[in-house]
Amino acid sequence: MAFEVVADSLGAQAKDSSKTVANIAVRRRRETIFKICGLLATSFGLITLALLLIDLAAAGFPRLSWDFFTNFPSRRASQAGILSAWVGSLLVILTTASIGVPLGVGAGIYLEEYGRRNWLTSIIEINITNLAGVPSIVFGLLALGLFVYGLGTGRSIFTAGLTLALLILPIIVVATREAIRAVPAALREAAYGIGCTKWQVTRDHVLPASLPGILTGVIIGISRALGETAPLITIGALTFIAFLPDSPISSEFPFVSFSWLFDGFTVLPIQAFNWISRPGSDFHANAAAAGIVLLAITLGLNAIAIYARYKLRKKLQW
Amino acid sequence: MTAMSSVSIKTTIAAKPEFKFGKNKVSANNVNVFYGDKHALKDVTVNIPEKAVMAFIGPSGCGKSTFLRCLNRMNDTIPIAKVTGKVEIDNQDIYDKALDVVQLRARVGMVFQKPNPFPKSIYENIAYGPKIHGLAASKSDLNEIVEASLKKAGLWDEVKDRLSDSGTGLSGGQQQRLCIARAIAVSPEIILMDEPCSALDPIATARIEELIDELRENFTIVIVTHSMQQAARVSQRTAFFHLGVLVEEGTTDTIFTNPNDSRTQDYITGRFG
Amino acid sequence: MVSRISPAQMRSRRIRERMIETLLFLCAASSVLVTIGIVAVLLVESWGFFTHVPVATFLTDTMWTPLFDNPRYGILPLLSGTFLSTMVALCVAGPLGLTAAIYLSEFASPRIRETVKPVLELLSGVPTVVFGFFALLFVTPLLQATILPNLPGFNILSAGIVMGVMIIPYIASLSEDALRAVPQALRDGSLAMGATKFETAIKVVLPAAISGVAAAFVLGISRAVGETMVVAIAAGQQPNLTLDPTQPAATITAYIVQVALGDLPHGSIAYQTIFAAGLTLLLITLVFNIFGFWLRVRFREEY
C-alpha cells in the first residue's frame, strides 16, 4: 500500500514567527472584546431588572401604606387601594391550584409511570408540548367561548381559576415528569421486590422522592398564574370592583361556603393594568405600588423555586 | 496485513535498520499533574528526539495521555488540572507566561483518540487551521495547502472528488486521516497522537501506522498507545508509564528486548495491563 | 405455600389499581381536551365571522375597523403591528441572547454560570403587566429624552424593546443548551490546532449547534407574537398598517384585549372578530412552534 509522496509544498510556507505573533495579538484582542461584550450582554438582563425595580420603587413606594392594602379602588387616586384585588388574586390562585395541581401531577405520573409507548401517549405528549407554546390570551378565548357562554360559569372566580389552571398545566406536567424521572429505578425495584402494587410504589416511594421537584414546578406555575393578565381580561374580569366575594367561612353548618366561586372579581395585575391605562400620573403611582406588591410576590415565589431547584440538583446525585 | 500482526515482535524489530536520533525537540523536567486532589503524574522527566516517533505505553490510567496533553497544554482546558515542572520545546519553556498557548498549539498539533472532524465539509476541515492562523495569502494558496495536506495524509485520492461533502460522512479510518491532515495543514513541528487507532479496525489502523512512519521524516511524533505491537511497529523510542510514574524510557529495541525494570518486563510480556 | 393475601383482597386491590390508572389517564387526557376545546371554540366562532366576511377580504383588506359604523375587516394592520413588534423584540433579544449564551457556555466559569442563570430565570418571572408599565413609563420617556424626541407616547418601538428583554432569558437558555450539547471533542480538536476560544466558539461550536440556536430564535419569535400585555399597554390600540416602529399600532393580541375590555354582546360579529383574530394568532404561533421543535429534534439527532 504505497502512499503518494508529495513534494513538500508545506515546508515552503516557512513560518514567519514575528508575523504569527502579531497575528496572535490581534486574535487575542478580538477574544477579549468578545468577552467584554458577552459579559455586558449577560448582565443586560440584570441591569434591566434593576432599572425596572428602581423605576417601580421610585414611582410606587410612597403609595405603599396599610390603607393601600385595606381600601377598595376609588375614583380618587390617593384613596384607592388593592383590597378587592389581592383578595381576588388569592381566591383565584386557590382555585387554580386546587384544579391545576392534581390534574398536572396526575398527568405527569401517568405519562412517566403508567403510559405505555403507544400512539395515544405520544399524542398526549406532543399535545402538552404544543399547549405550552399556545399564547395565554388564546386560553382566555377558550374560557370566554366555552366556560363563560358555553357552560355558563360566568365571569367568575371559578372560570378564572379554571382558565389559569389549564394555562399552567404544561408547566406542572413537565416539572412532575422531570422529578419522577430523576428517581432511580433501583428504588422502584426495591419496592416491587417486596410485593408493592404499581400505585403503592408510586404513592409510597416515587412521589415522596420526587416531591421537592414537583413542588418547585408548582410554585413556578402558581407564580406564573399570579402574574397573568391577558386571559382574565379576555373572560371579562371587571376592572373596578368595590366589594369582596362571599366569605368562604359561614356561621351556619357546614361552616364553609363555596358561593364565592361564582362571584365577580378582580386580581392584582388587572388592577395594575387598569391604573396604568388611566391618564394622569396619580393613578400611575398606584399602578406602580400594585406592581411592587405583585412583583414582590412573584419574584419571591420564583426565587424560592429557583433556589430550591439548584439545591436539589446539587443534592440529588443518586 | 493480518499476517503482519501475527509476526512476533522481536523479528519485526530485528528487521529494522539502526536508527540515528537527531537532537532533542522536547525536554520535560519533573512534570507533575494534579486533577483536583488526584496526583495523576509524578515527576516525569524525559527527552523527545526530533523527526522520530516516540511511543508512550502503559496500562490505562497510567498517566501517558495526561503527559501527552501537557505538551500542548490541553490540560489548560480542564479547570481542575494543575501542572508543575518544566516542559521545553526547542529550549523554550512552554508554560512561560510570555508564550501564548495559541502559538504553542500552532506548533504542536494533536490527533485524538476518537476521530473528531468538524461538522463541516472536508475542504473546510483542512482549511480551518490555515485560515485562523493566516497561513494562506490567497484562495489558491489555501487550495494548495488543502491538497498537499490531504495528499500527505494519504486521503487525497479518496476524497478529491467530494471535497465539499461533510467530513463526518467519511468512514472512521478516513475521518482519522482527515484529522491528521487537518493537523498537518498548520504545518506544526510536533504532532501528538492520543491512541489514534483505538477506534479503528485493523485495516484502517495499518494505514495510519504507515502514514505515521512517513510523517516521521518531517515531524516529531509522539504517540500514546495501549497496543504494544503498535508501539513496536511505529516507534523508535518508547517510554513506559505505570501509576503516574515514568518507569523506563529508551530505544524501542531496548524496551521490548531488554528492559531494565521488572515492571516493564511484566507489562510487555503481558503479565498485567 | 399458601398466600397470606386472600383472593378477595387481591381482587379489590386489582380493582383499585385499575381505577387509579384510569383516573391518572383521564388527567393526562384532559390536556388533549383543552386543545380540542381551543380549536373547537376558535373554529366555531370564526365560522360565524367568516360567513359574514369572506376570507379573501379578511386577508387582503388594509383596514381593520370592526367597531366603526362602517366596519372593515382586514387583518393586515394587526399583522403588521404584530410583525413589527416581534421584529423589534428579536433585534434586541437575538444578539443579546445569543452573545450571552456563547459567553455562558464557552467562557464563563461554572461559578458565574451557576449564579447568572437563576437570575436570568428571575427575569422571566416578572409579570408582563409590570413590563408594560416599564415600557410605557420608563423606556418611552427615556427614548423621547435621548434619541427620538418626536416619539409618540404609545409606540411599537418601546413595547418591542421591552418584549425583547422579556425573551432574552428564553433565547439565551435554549441557545446555551444547544451550544453545550456540542461534544467537547470538537472544541478540543479546534483548540489543539491553535484556535482561540473565541474562534472555536464562533467557527466550530456555533455552526455545529446552529439548528438548536435557530430553534431558540424561532421559539422566541413565537413567544413575542403571542405576548399581550406589553403591547396592549405601551404600543397603543389603533390598528395601523405601517412598517415604522416609532408609530403606535395595535397587534392581534392588543386588539383582543381592547375588545374584551368593552362590553360586546355575545354572538355579534364584533364579538366574533376576536375569535377570528385569535385563530390567526394560534395558527401563526403553531407554525413557529412546530418549526422550532423540528429544528430542536434535528440538532439532537446529530450527535
Side-chain angles (χ1 to χ4, degrees):
Chain A
M1 209 177 289
F3 286 98
E4 194 180 335
V5 180
V6 202
D8 192 7
S9 75
L10 292 170
Q13 359 151 355
K15 246 170 296 178
D16 182 346
S17 77
S18 67
K19 194 185 153 202
T20 321
V21 172
N23 166 288
I24 286 174
V26 172
R27 290 161 59 194
R28 282 296 188 196
R29 202 172 314 133
R30 236 178 264 156
E31 187 172 58
T32 311
I33 292 171
F34 178 81
K35 268 195 212 168
I36 296 170
C37 292
L39 207 56
L40 286 177
T42 311
S43 45
F44 185 81
L46 302 184
I47 296 168
T48 317
L49 191 61
L51 276 178
L52 190 148
L53 292 177
I54 294 168
D55 180 45
L56 217 55
F61 213 70
R63 283 293 296 125
L64 282 180
S65 65
W66 182 248
D67 287 346
F68 188 68
F69 289 92
T70 56
N71 282 3
F72 284 111
S74 158
R75 243 169 307 220
R76 271 190 293 275
S78 58
Q79 286 174 11
I82 54 169
L83 179 62
S84 47
W86 72 256
V87 172
S89 274
L90 193 71
L91 293 175
V92 168
I93 285 307
L94 204 66
T95 317
T96 300
S98 332
I99 301 170
V101 173
L103 212 54
V105 174
I109 294 173
Y110 181 81
L111 290 175
E112 250 350 275
E113 296 284 312
Y114 286 83
R116 284 164 274 282
R117 301 282 122 217
N118 57 20
W119 61 273
L120 197 59
T121 329
S122 342
I123 283 189
I124 294 175
E125 280 178 3
I126 293 169
N127 178 61
I128 287 174
T129 316
N130 253 323
L131 221 46
V134 171
S136 62
I137 197 161
V138 172
F139 282 89
L141 292 174
L142 165 76
L144 180 65
L146 190 65
F147 304 150
V148 176
Y149 291 115
L151 303 177
T153 55
R155 308 176 165 207
S156 61
I157 290 176
F158 176 73
T159 307
L162 180 59
T163 311
L164 294 183
L166 302 182
L167 182 69
I168 63 170
L169 195 62
I171 300 176
I172 296 179
V173 174
V174 169
T176 304
R177 296 189 64 179
E178 262 174 29
I180 290 180
R181 218 174 298 151
V183 176
L187 188 67
R188 289 186 189 87
E189 282 158 11
Y192 279 124
I194 55 166
C196 288
T197 64
K198 193 161 207 165
W199 173 240
Q200 284 165 337
V201 172
T202 309
R203 185 194 58 193
D204 298 339
H205 303 283
V206 176
L207 276 186
S210 49
L211 196 63
I214 296 176
L215 276 182
T216 311
V218 168
I219 296 174
I220 291 194
I222 294 285
S223 139
R224 166 94 193 273
L226 263 172
E228 270 302 337
T229 324
L232 300 189
I233 291 179
T234 313
I235 62 173
L238 302 175
T239 50
F240 189 93
I241 286 212
F243 58 86
L244 288 183
D246 278 357
S247 165
I249 302 163
S250 69
S251 54
E252 290 158 35
F253 188 79
F255 307 116
V256 284
S257 148
F258 288 100
S259 59
W260 54 270
L261 271 176
F262 295 97
D263 282 342
F265 68 101
T266 189
V267 290
L268 273 171
I270 290 186
Q271 185 63 68
F273 171 65
N274 179 11
W275 281 331
I276 296 170
S277 317
R278 296 215 198 168
S281 54
D282 293 357
F283 279 103
H284 287 168
N286 284 4
I292 292 173
V293 176
L294 191 60
L295 205 58
I297 300 172
T298 52
L299 286 193
L301 285 176
N302 266 287
I304 293 171
I306 292 166
Y307 179 77
R309 187 160 67 218
Y310 276 77
K311 278 273 144 184
L312 259 171
R313 281 196 190 145
K314 287 236 168 71
K315 217 172 67 184
L316 270 182
Q317 302 292 338
W318 292 91
Chain B
M1 226 135 346
T2 38
M4 194 168 83
S5 51
S6 64
V7 174
S8 88
I9 295 165
K10 270 185 191 169
T11 49
T12 318
I13 292 167
K16 278 185 186 170
E18 189 67 28
F19 186 83
K20 239 175 98 50
F21 291 103
K23 66 178 175 65
N24 285 336
K25 184 76 182 170
V26 183
S27 70
N29 265 304
N30 293 320
V31 175
N32 282 279
V33 178
F34 302 86
Y35 290 128
D37 293 336
K38 197 184 158 225
H39 197 170
L41 206 61
K42 296 165 190 163
D43 279 331
V44 173
T45 300
V46 69
N47 292 319
I48 298 169
E50 72 169 1
K51 306 213 164 152
V53 180
M54 176 144 194
F56 294 166
I57 60 170
S60 59
C62 66
K64 53 191 193 301
S65 288
T66 303
F67 182 61
L68 190 76
R69 292 169 72 94
C70 290
L71 304 182
N72 67 343
R73 287 177 55 182
M74 274 311 270
N75 283 324
D76 289 14
T77 60
I78 303 165
I80 56 163
K82 196 175 134 253
V83 181
T84 67
K86 198 167 195 182
V87 182
E88 290 180 332
I89 295 178
D90 292 339
N91 299 320
Q92 187 184 17
D93 183 357
I94 64 167
Y95 282 87
D96 188 342
K97 290 262 187 306
L99 180 84
D100 195 304
V101 67
V102 162
Q103 195 184 357
L104 168 71
R105 290 181 187 152
R107 289 172 63 194
V108 185
M110 187 166 189
V111 177
F112 295 82
Q113 191 167 2
K114 241 184 90 197
N116 56 352
F118 302 130
K120 300 167 181 281
S121 71
I122 294 169
Y123 183 93
E124 283 299 325
N125 260 284
I126 311 291
Y128 177 70
K131 269 190 194 163
I132 57 172
H133 292 300
L135 297 180
S138 63
K139 181 79 186 154
S140 66
D141 258 13
L142 196 58
N143 290 342
E144 223 169 277
I145 294 176
V146 171
E147 182 173 342
S149 306
L150 283 169
K151 279 183 174 160
K152 283 200 152 192
L155 194 61
W156 176 251
D157 289 333
E158 292 159 63
V159 301
K160 63 179 178 217
D161 301 324
R162 46 176 177 140
L163 288 175
S164 55
D165 287 8
S166 173
T168 50
L170 297 171
S171 73
Q174 288 173 325
Q175 285 190 10
Q176 197 61 299
R177 277 181 280 143
L178 180 67
C179 291
I180 294 175
R182 188 176 73 184
I184 297 172
V186 228
S187 46
E189 297 151 40
I190 303 168
I191 300 176
L192 309 176
M193 299 188 175
D194 189 357
E195 303 197 15
C197 303
S198 64
L200 306 180
D201 61 62
I203 295 174
T205 300
R207 293 206 66 177
I208 302 269
E209 286 179 6
E210 284 178 61
L211 175 57
I212 291 172
D213 206 48
E214 282 166 19
L215 294 175
R216 186 185 67 191
E217 290 182 13
N218 295 309
F219 305 96
T220 302
I221 294 171
V222 187
I223 178 171
V224 162
T225 173
H226 59 250
S227 148
M228 284 174 285
Q229 284 88 344
Q230 184 168 67
R233 285 193 298 264
V234 302
S235 74
Q236 286 75 50
R237 285 190 90 81
T238 299
F240 170 63
F241 287 77
H242 184 49
L243 298 173
V245 176
L246 175 67
V247 174
E248 187 173 357
E249 181 268 335
T251 63
T252 302
D253 289 13
T254 317
I255 294 288
F256 281 95
T257 55
N258 193 13
N260 275 324
D261 197 291
S262 61
R263 287 169 291 178
T264 318
Q265 179 80 46
D266 286 352
Y267 183 69
I268 59 168
T269 52
R271 247 169 262 171
F272 70 87
Chain C
M1 188 183 121
V2 182
S3 170
R4 270 170 297 166
I5 304 169
S6 72
Q9 240 179 319
M10 284 299 284
R11 197 165 45 243
S12 77
R13 197 186 261 187
R14 233 188 340 261
I15 292 171
R16 202 188 56 175
E17 288 286 317
R18 287 297 304 170
M19 276 168 56
I20 287 167
E21 181 169 351
T22 311
L23 200 67
L24 293 174
F25 171 74
L26 288 178
C27 288
S30 68
S31 70
V32 180
L33 287 184
V34 176
T35 305
I36 294 174
I38 289 174
V39 173
V41 165
L42 290 182
L43 283 183
V44 167
E45 299 288 355
S46 302
W47 184 258
F49 174 78
F50 284 117
T51 52
H52 282 85
V53 181
V55 178
T57 314
F58 181 68
L59 291 178
T60 55
D61 196 341
T62 57
M63 296 280 278
W64 180 260
T65 55
L67 309 180
F68 288 12
D69 287 339
N70 178 23
R72 298 271 295 273
Y73 302 100
I75 193 81
L76 283 177
L78 296 184
L79 281 180
S80 79
T82 303
F83 171 79
L84 262 186
S85 58
T86 303
M87 279 302 119
V88 174
L90 195 64
C91 288
V92 172
L96 285 171
L98 182 57
T99 312
I102 295 175
Y103 179 77
L104 285 176
S105 122
E106 307 297 313
F107 291 94
S109 68
R111 257 192 65 195
I112 292 185
R113 193 158 48 222
E114 294 299 300
T115 324
V116 167
K117 285 195 84 177
V119 181
L120 276 181
E121 278 180 59
L122 263 190
L123 198 62
S124 54
V126 175
T128 53
V129 69
V130 174
F131 273 121
F133 179 92
F134 187 64
L136 181 69
L137 298 175
F138 183 85
V139 177
T140 298
L142 184 71
L143 290 175
Q144 284 167 335
T146 51
I147 42 173
L148 292 166
N150 296 323
L151 194 68
F154 294 107
N155 62 80
I156 284 284
L157 188 63
S158 306
I161 291 174
V162 171
M163 251 160 56
V165 173
M166 276 174 59
I167 57 173
I168 286 177
Y170 194 67
I171 291 191
S173 131
L174 285 178
S175 302
E176 202 228 341
D177 287 349
L179 293 170
R180 296 239 281 174
V182 173
Q184 185 61 29
L186 288 185
R187 288 187 190 91
D188 285 350
S190 173
L191 292 173
M193 300 187 62
T196 62
K197 272 185 168 188
F198 174 58
E199 287 156 352
T200 304
I202 298 298
K203 294 180 179 161
V204 174
V205 181
L206 185 59
I210 198 67
S211 70
V213 171
F217 276 60
V218 170
L219 294 176
I221 290 176
S222 166
R223 284 257 163 135
V225 167
E227 172 43 41
T228 308
M229 293 319 291
V230 176
V231 279
I233 291 170
Q237 305 197 327
Q238 247 60 61
N240 184 356
L241 185 57
T242 175
L243 288 176
D244 175 5
T246 63
Q247 294 287 311
T251 61
I252 299 176
T253 52
Y255 170 74
I256 298 174
V257 164
Q258 185 200 2
V259 172
L261 279 173
D263 201 14
L264 282 175
H266 172 55
S268 69
I269 185 159
Y271 168 84
Q272 287 165 341
T273 55
I274 61 175
F275 289 89
L279 184 64
T280 315
L281 180 68
L282 185 68
L283 288 177
I284 296 173
T285 53
L286 195 67
V287 167
F288 279 113
N289 285 341
I290 291 173
F291 184 46
F293 283 114
W294 177 76
L295 281 170
R296 281 191 85 184
V297 171
R298 221 185 61 157
F299 99 80
R300 283 211 191 105
E301 278 169 357
E302 269 167 32
Y303 314 115

